[in-house]
PDB file of all heavy atoms in Angstrom:
ATOM      1  N   VAL A  79     153.558  95.455  69.174  1.00  0.00           N
ATOM      2  CA  VAL A  79     152.894  95.844  70.406  1.00  0.00           C
ATOM      3  C   VAL A  79     153.919  96.024  71.541  1.00  0.00           C
ATOM      4  O   VAL A  79     154.654  95.112  71.876  1.00  0.00           O
ATOM      5  CB  VAL A  79     151.875  94.760  70.822  1.00  0.00           C
ATOM      6  CG1 VAL A  79     151.202  95.103  72.153  1.00  0.00           C
ATOM      7  CG2 VAL A  79     150.805  94.582  69.729  1.00  0.00           C
ATOM      8  N   ASP A  80     153.961  97.246  72.079  1.00  0.00           N
ATOM      9  CA  ASP A  80     154.687  97.509  73.311  1.00  0.00           C
ATOM     10  C   ASP A  80     153.627  97.564  74.408  1.00  0.00           C
ATOM     11  O   ASP A  80     153.015  98.596  74.673  1.00  0.00           O
ATOM     12  CB  ASP A  80     155.457  98.837  73.187  1.00  0.00           C
ATOM     13  CG  ASP A  80     156.227  99.184  74.447  1.00  0.00           C
ATOM     14  OD1 ASP A  80     155.940  98.615  75.530  1.00  0.00           O
ATOM     15  OD2 ASP A  80     157.129 100.065  74.362  1.00  0.00           O
ATOM     16  N   TRP A  81     153.414  96.433  75.023  1.00  0.00           N
ATOM     17  CA  TRP A  81     152.280  96.268  75.979  1.00  0.00           C
ATOM     18  C   TRP A  81     152.421  97.217  77.181  1.00  0.00           C
ATOM     19  O   TRP A  81     151.456  97.781  77.647  1.00  0.00           O
ATOM     20  CB  TRP A  81     152.207  94.799  76.404  1.00  0.00           C
ATOM     21  CG  TRP A  81     151.169  94.435  77.400  1.00  0.00           C
ATOM     22  CD1 TRP A  81     151.362  93.713  78.573  1.00  0.00           C
ATOM     23  CD2 TRP A  81     149.734  94.681  77.353  1.00  0.00           C
ATOM     24  NE1 TRP A  81     150.149  93.534  79.244  1.00  0.00           N
ATOM     25  CE2 TRP A  81     149.143  94.117  78.524  1.00  0.00           C
ATOM     26  CE3 TRP A  81     148.927  95.349  76.428  1.00  0.00           C
ATOM     27  CZ2 TRP A  81     147.778  94.191  78.766  1.00  0.00           C
ATOM     28  CZ3 TRP A  81     147.544  95.431  76.733  1.00  0.00           C
ATOM     29  CH2 TRP A  81     147.017  94.847  77.867  1.00  0.00           C
ATOM     30  N   ASP A  82     153.688  97.379  77.666  1.00  0.00           N
ATOM     31  CA  ASP A  82     153.844  98.271  78.795  1.00  0.00           C
ATOM     32  C   ASP A  82     153.490  99.702  78.439  1.00  0.00           C
ATOM     33  O   ASP A  82     152.868 100.413  79.202  1.00  0.00           O
ATOM     34  CB  ASP A  82     155.305  98.230  79.303  1.00  0.00           C
ATOM     35  CG  ASP A  82     155.559  96.895  80.050  1.00  0.00           C
ATOM     36  OD1 ASP A  82     154.567  96.283  80.552  1.00  0.00           O
ATOM     37  OD2 ASP A  82     156.737  96.475  80.083  1.00  0.00           O
ATOM     38  N   GLN A  83     153.845 100.115  77.222  1.00  0.00           N
ATOM     39  CA  GLN A  83     153.505 101.470  76.764  1.00  0.00           C
ATOM     40  C   GLN A  83     151.984 101.608  76.590  1.00  0.00           C
ATOM     41  O   GLN A  83     151.364 102.600  76.908  1.00  0.00           O
ATOM     42  CB  GLN A  83     154.229 101.813  75.476  1.00  0.00           C
ATOM     43  CG  GLN A  83     153.871 103.162  74.878  1.00  0.00           C
ATOM     44  CD  GLN A  83     154.019 104.336  75.850  1.00  0.00           C
ATOM     45  OE1 GLN A  83     154.936 104.322  76.720  1.00  0.00           O
ATOM     46  NE2 GLN A  83     153.181 105.330  75.731  1.00  0.00           N
ATOM     47  N   MET A  84     151.376 100.511  76.100  1.00  0.00           N
ATOM     48  CA  MET A  84     149.906 100.561  75.898  1.00  0.00           C
ATOM     49  C   MET A  84     149.221 100.714  77.269  1.00  0.00           C
ATOM     50  O   MET A  84     148.253 101.486  77.412  1.00  0.00           O
ATOM     51  CB  MET A  84     149.419  99.305  75.197  1.00  0.00           C
ATOM     52  CG  MET A  84     148.047  99.480  74.536  1.00  0.00           C
ATOM     53  SD  MET A  84     147.472  98.006  73.673  1.00  0.00           S
ATOM     54  CE  MET A  84     148.387  98.076  72.135  1.00  0.00           C
ATOM     55  N   LYS A  85     149.766 100.033  78.250  1.00  0.00           N
ATOM     56  CA  LYS A  85     149.156 100.167  79.599  1.00  0.00           C
ATOM     57  C   LYS A  85     149.424 101.559  80.164  1.00  0.00           C
ATOM     58  O   LYS A  85     148.596 102.127  80.894  1.00  0.00           O
ATOM     59  CB  LYS A  85     149.715  99.069  80.542  1.00  0.00           C
ATOM     60  CG  LYS A  85     149.114  97.688  80.238  1.00  0.00           C
ATOM     61  CD  LYS A  85     149.439  96.654  81.296  1.00  0.00           C
ATOM     62  CE  LYS A  85     150.913  96.268  81.249  1.00  0.00           C
ATOM     63  NZ  LYS A  85     151.227  95.253  82.246  1.00  0.00           N
ATOM     64  N   ALA A  86     150.587 102.120  79.831  1.00  0.00           N
ATOM     65  CA  ALA A  86     150.899 103.497  80.307  1.00  0.00           C
ATOM     66  C   ALA A  86     149.926 104.497  79.678  1.00  0.00           C
ATOM     67  O   ALA A  86     149.434 105.401  80.348  1.00  0.00           O
ATOM     68  CB  ALA A  86     152.327 103.836  79.966  1.00  0.00           C
ATOM     69  N   TYR A  87     149.642 104.279  78.393  1.00  0.00           N
ATOM     70  CA  TYR A  87     148.645 105.157  77.688  1.00  0.00           C
ATOM     71  C   TYR A  87     147.292 105.021  78.388  1.00  0.00           C
ATOM     72  O   TYR A  87     146.602 106.014  78.663  1.00  0.00           O
ATOM     73  CB  TYR A  87     148.590 104.771  76.213  1.00  0.00           C
ATOM     74  CG  TYR A  87     147.237 104.892  75.577  1.00  0.00           C
ATOM     75  CD1 TYR A  87     146.660 106.116  75.313  1.00  0.00           C
ATOM     76  CD2 TYR A  87     146.521 103.737  75.199  1.00  0.00           C
ATOM     77  CE1 TYR A  87     145.402 106.224  74.733  1.00  0.00           C
ATOM     78  CE2 TYR A  87     145.275 103.839  74.604  1.00  0.00           C
ATOM     79  CZ  TYR A  87     144.709 105.081  74.385  1.00  0.00           C
ATOM     80  OH  TYR A  87     143.482 105.153  73.797  1.00  0.00           O
ATOM     81  N   LYS A  88     146.918 103.752  78.682  1.00  0.00           N
ATOM     82  CA  LYS A  88     145.635 103.503  79.380  1.00  0.00           C
ATOM     83  C   LYS A  88     145.601 104.234  80.722  1.00  0.00           C
ATOM     84  O   LYS A  88     144.654 104.938  81.044  1.00  0.00           O
ATOM     85  CB  LYS A  88     145.497 101.993  79.595  1.00  0.00           C
ATOM     86  CG  LYS A  88     144.254 101.591  80.336  1.00  0.00           C
ATOM     87  CD  LYS A  88     144.405 100.218  80.994  1.00  0.00           C
ATOM     88  CE  LYS A  88     145.387 100.243  82.119  1.00  0.00           C
ATOM     89  NZ  LYS A  88     145.536  99.040  82.913  1.00  0.00           N
ATOM     90  N   GLN A  89     146.731 104.139  81.474  1.00  0.00           N
ATOM     91  CA  GLN A  89     146.774 104.788  82.777  1.00  0.00           C
ATOM     92  C   GLN A  89     146.700 106.322  82.648  1.00  0.00           C
ATOM     93  O   GLN A  89     145.998 106.969  83.450  1.00  0.00           O
ATOM     94  CB  GLN A  89     148.064 104.373  83.521  1.00  0.00           C
ATOM     95  CG  GLN A  89     148.086 104.776  84.999  1.00  0.00           C
ATOM     96  CD  GLN A  89     146.881 104.224  85.786  1.00  0.00           C
ATOM     97  OE1 GLN A  89     146.540 103.051  85.661  1.00  0.00           O
ATOM     98  NE2 GLN A  89     146.229 105.051  86.606  1.00  0.00           N
ATOM     99  N   SER A  90     147.348 106.873  81.618  1.00  0.00           N
ATOM    100  CA  SER A  90     147.296 108.332  81.514  1.00  0.00           C
ATOM    101  C   SER A  90     145.866 108.770  81.147  1.00  0.00           C
ATOM    102  O   SER A  90     145.426 109.881  81.565  1.00  0.00           O
ATOM    103  CB  SER A  90     148.312 108.821  80.472  1.00  0.00           C
ATOM    104  OG  SER A  90     147.902 108.409  79.190  1.00  0.00           O
ATOM    105  N   THR A  91     145.143 107.935  80.423  1.00  0.00           N
ATOM    106  CA  THR A  91     143.750 108.284  80.130  1.00  0.00           C
ATOM    107  C   THR A  91     142.929 108.257  81.450  1.00  0.00           C
ATOM    108  O   THR A  91     142.115 109.137  81.662  1.00  0.00           O
ATOM    109  CB  THR A  91     143.148 107.219  79.140  1.00  0.00           C
ATOM    110  OG1 THR A  91     144.066 107.087  78.043  1.00  0.00           O
ATOM    111  CG2 THR A  91     141.792 107.662  78.614  1.00  0.00           C
ATOM    112  N   ILE A  92     143.164 107.232  82.255  1.00  0.00           N
ATOM    113  CA  ILE A  92     142.468 107.139  83.538  1.00  0.00           C
ATOM    114  C   ILE A  92     142.782 108.407  84.361  1.00  0.00           C
ATOM    115  O   ILE A  92     141.874 109.086  84.878  1.00  0.00           O
ATOM    116  CB  ILE A  92     142.890 105.918  84.330  1.00  0.00           C
ATOM    117  CG1 ILE A  92     142.478 104.632  83.625  1.00  0.00           C
ATOM    118  CG2 ILE A  92     142.347 105.930  85.756  1.00  0.00           C
ATOM    119  CD1 ILE A  92     143.036 103.345  84.216  1.00  0.00           C
TER     120      ILE A  92
END
Side-chain angles (χ1 to χ4, degrees):
V79 177
D80 178 344
W81 178 232
D82 286 337
Q83 175 56 32
M84 201 179 280
K85 285 191 289 182
Y87 146 70
K88 177 202 70 174
Q89 190 57 44
S90 68
T91 310
I92 294 172

